Amino acid sequence: MRRYLRVVVLCLACGFCSLLYAFSQLAVSLEEGAGGGGGKPQAAAASWLAGGGRGAGRGAGSAGPAAHPGPSDRYSLKMQPVERVHLAVVACGERLEETLTMLKSALIFSIKPLQFHIFAEDQLHDSFKGILNRWSFLQTFNYSLYPITFPSENAAEWKKLFKPCASQRLFLPLILKEVDSLLYVDTDILFLRPVDDIWSLLKKFNSTQIAAMAPEHEEPRIGWYNRFARHPYYGKTGVNSGVMLMNMTRMRRKYFKNDMTSVRLRWGDILMPLLKKYKLNITWGDQDLLNIIFFHNPESLFVFPCQWNYRPDHCIYGSNCQEAEEEGIFILHGNRGVYHDDKQPAFRAIYEALRNCSFEDDNIHSLLKPLELELQKTVHTYCGKIYKIFIKQLTKSIQDRFDRPPKER
Ligand SMILES: *[C@@H]1O[C@H](CO)[C@@H](O)[C@H](O)[C@H]1NC(C)=O
Ligand SMILES: *[C@@H]1O[C@H](CO)[C@@H](O)[C@H](O)[C@H]1NC(C)=O
Ligand SMILES: *[C@@H]1O[C@H](CO)[C@@H](O)[C@H](O)[C@H]1NC(C)=O
Ligand SMILES: *[C@@H]1O[C@H](CO)[C@@H](O)[C@H](O)[C@H]1NC(C)=O
Ligand SMILES: *[C@@H]1O[C@H](CO)[C@@H](O)[C@H](O)[C@H]1NC(C)=O
């Protein structure tokens, strides 16, 4: 009898504890959900981003890491906090407008709330704050601004050896210690599909993969690395680091094979010796260092197809990104400055259309007609030949995002 009683008491105690735990979890997820920027995917037809139904009065777009969402938030009973997509960019020099256009394209199409990590030279900070705070009514993002920094141990050396902005991205896993995963993009990226889509590739990583990039070239005959590089590089033609998806938890944990010592090195310890060894032989800065690292650790890289990092190279020598023609262009990368000169007017037209459009416009569809007219004028140019693919992609993305009821997607 006595023993029986003891068992009953024990059971009651356990039950009580799990209840306590459940409540504490609920409290935590409520708190996180409240700061989470809503993340309601659907918007009514043509109502543009902020149009109705996005909840009210939440603290998004707060200016700096210290800011917290207000307590007066909404009380939807959300058990799961909304997962945020973390997007990082490094902006120096004249890149303000380009960076903002990239961020805008991310905001237009994305479904989950976004957390921007913007590394910028000090003189750009005020301008970023000004514009991003104006966009905060969207309530679909928040952001942090950081100076260009290096881990303190050998900051001076990095600054001396390399252009400061060029190597910043290598240090993101060490600087953003609290962030699990991150999408890094160059400033000259435009999203033509929700950022959610590339983010979902993280879940496709096998157990050894830590990062994802696209090949530098599809066609070895015109590849750069295989013809000119004086250092090891990944795969047949190397990889392009303009769009780089990282599971930084894994990057921080991994010990990397290398050709400098017989022991494997951590991310934080491999960069400096690598730079010292190869600094006279590298041409494209940190992208070359990444190629060397993944040459030695190929099992760690997930390679995504060219449509996730579509560059002028894919159309100026004839069309050599097959997937883009079949499935669409998901992320546009206007490298070589093509958004700002007349060498690839098709790239420039798309950039300008997105730069010109405003969240205050009534109708996102109004982007399409003038852009199509503009692109038709480029049909005699190399990349203009495929302008219909650009229009098809944008039309589809806009329909998916704004026209269809959510259940169809
Ligand atoms: C952005 O929102 C996330 C999730 O609510 C929060 O953890 C983070 O601190 C916020 N960042 C800023 C800069 O407000
Ligand atoms: C990144 O890797 C860690 C460790 O394997 C894992 O726990 C985490 O879920 C991964 N993140 C994503 C977004 O897949
Ligand atoms: C740098 O390039 C030169 C010339 O191709 C080559 O001889 C040398 O081995 C290279 N250095 C390294 C560290 O690979
Ligand atoms: C993960 O994929 C990479 C690239 O396909 C491959 O090299 C590696 O062996 C795979 N890892 C595992 C554990 O299957
Ligand atoms: C964008 O605006 C500029 C001037 O503000 C104009 O010259 C250009 O034609 C516009 N481009 C598009 C594609 O709307």
Side-chain angles (χ1 to χ4, degrees):
M1 190 63 205
R2 192 107 174 236
R3 196 197 257 156
Y4 201 65
L5 203 71
R6 233 187 258 159
V7 171
V8 169
V9 168
L10 198 71
C11 285
L12 275 175
C14 283
F16 184 66
C17 285
S18 23
L19 245 147
L20 269 184
Y21 178 74
F23 272 119
S24 69
Q25 287 300 302
L26 182 65
V28 167
S29 63
L30 269 176
E31 233 161 64
E32 285 174 359
K40 267 278 172 338
Q42 73 279 30
S47 72
W48 216 174
L49 271 187
R54 283 234 174 216
R58 255 161 301 117
S62 22
H68 286 288
S72 63
D73 297 322
R74 120 217 97 130
Y75 283 87
S76 65
L77 266 182
K78 226 186 253 118
M79 295 303 290
Q80 286 294 316
V82 183
E83 187 196 4
R84 272 187 185 250
V85 170
H86 291 261
L87 181 67
V89 64
V90 181
C92 289
E94 308 289 296
R95 300 290 169 192
L96 177 72
E97 181 193 272
E98 200 175 88
T99 307
L100 287 166
T101 308
M102 178 278 286
L103 296 174
K104 193 199 280 180
S105 73
L107 287 169
I108 290 175
F109 297 116
S110 293
I111 299 162
K112 287 202 188 83
L114 295 164
Q115 167 100 42
F116 297 145
H117 301 272
I118 302 167
F119 292 80
E121 287 179 314
D122 296 340
Q123 75 269 18
L124 297 177
H125 282 216
D126 285 342
S127 315
F128 272 114
K129 274 185 212 156
I131 306 269
L132 291 172
N133 290 347
R134 262 203 273 141
W135 292 352
S136 67
F137 73 96
L138 294 171
Q139 305 192 343
T140 51
F141 76 99
N142 66 6
Y143 70 91
S144 308
L145 267 170
Y146 311 81
I148 304 293
T149 50
F150 298 94
S152 51
E153 302 92 70
N154 36 37
E157 245 171 313
W158 276 100
K159 280 195 192 132
K160 207 168 56 203
L161 286 169
F162 238 13
K163 282 182 290 181
C165 258
S167 53
Q168 180 74 93
R169 88 181 106 178
L170 293 174
F171 296 97
L172 297 176
L174 308 173
I175 298 170
L176 302 173
K177 287 196 184 75
E178 310 296 316
V179 180
D180 168 68
S181 294
L182 186 73
L183 175 64
Y184 164 86
V185 295
D186 285 350
T187 55
D188 51 5
I189 289 295
L190 292 171
F191 292 94
L192 307 185
R193 280 261 296 248
V195 182
D196 309 58
D197 292 349
I198 187 165
W199 191 255
S200 69
L201 297 180
L202 282 168
K203 297 279 178 248
K204 301 208 166 136
F205 283 17
N206 68 23
S207 60
T208 50
Q209 286 163 333
I210 63 169
M213 285 182 266
E216 170 68 22
H217 264 283
E218 304 307 307
E219 173 51 68
R221 274 176 301 171
I222 49 173
W224 195 90
Y225 284 110
N226 52 298
R227 291 188 297 159
F228 306 118
R230 290 181 294 141
H231 58 77
Y233 54 89
Y234 177 87
K236 284 203 179 73
T237 57
V239 281
N240 181 283
S241 55
V243 180
M244 182 177 176
L245 198 55
M246 295 179 261
N247 183 322
M248 301 198 299
T249 305
R250 293 186 180 184
M251 290 173 82
R252 287 183 288 255
R253 277 186 201 158
K254 188 178 165 68
Y255 287 86
F256 292 84
K257 285 167 267 168
N258 62 84
D259 60 358
M260 294 162 305
T261 68
S262 54
V263 294
R264 296 179 177 210
L265 297 173
R266 297 257 211 166
W267 192 260
D269 301 323
I270 200 172
L271 297 172
M272 198 64 206
L274 204 58
L275 179 62
K276 282 197 170 133
K277 173 160 181 181
Y278 286 104
K279 67 178 177 214
L280 296 178
N281 285 35
I282 59 181
T283 310
W284 306 110
D286 54 336
Q287 174 170 303
D288 294 346
L289 298 185
L290 289 165
N291 265 290
I292 298 170
I293 292 175
F294 288 109
F295 168 83
H296 292 293
N297 300 271
E299 75 291 346
S300 299
L301 191 67
F302 179 105
V303 178
F304 49 66
C306 45
Q307 73 224 96
W308 297 102
N309 184 348
Y310 191 91
R311 278 158 285 134
D313 279 359
H314 291 120
C315 39
I316 50 186
Y317 310 103
S319 174
N320 62 26
C321 178
Q322 195 63 39
E323 289 92 339
E325 286 186 35
E326 284 159 16
E327 295 159 28
I329 294 169
F330 302 160
I331 296 180
L332 200 64
H333 184 176
N335 63 355
R336 306 168 180 239
V338 292
Y339 296 147
H340 311 291
D341 62 24
D342 292 321
K343 291 198 186 108
Q344 295 305 330
F347 276 72
R348 183 176 180 158
I350 295 173
Y351 173 75
E352 290 190 351
L354 286 165
R355 182 197 63 191
N356 289 5
C357 83
S358 146
F359 291 122
E360 283 89 13
D361 290 347
D362 317 333
N363 191 346
I364 175 73
H365 298 74
S366 62
L367 177 98
L368 286 172
K369 254 294 143 285
L371 177 60
E372 186 161 7
L373 291 177
E374 200 59 40
L375 282 171
Q376 273 168 19
K377 292 186 212 152
T378 71
V379 71
H380 63 283
T381 66
Y382 289 110
C383 291
K385 287 202 174 67
I386 56 156
Y387 83 90
K388 287 196 174 130
I389 299 179
F390 290 121
I391 286 295
K392 199 169 139 198
Q393 178 67 60
L394 279 165
T395 307
K396 179 173 185 309
S397 293
I398 289 173
Q399 279 172 354
D400 280 356
R401 181 71 182 81
F402 298 99
D403 297 348
R404 291 200 199 139
K407 61 175 183 301
E408 271 182 36
R409 301 200 307 255

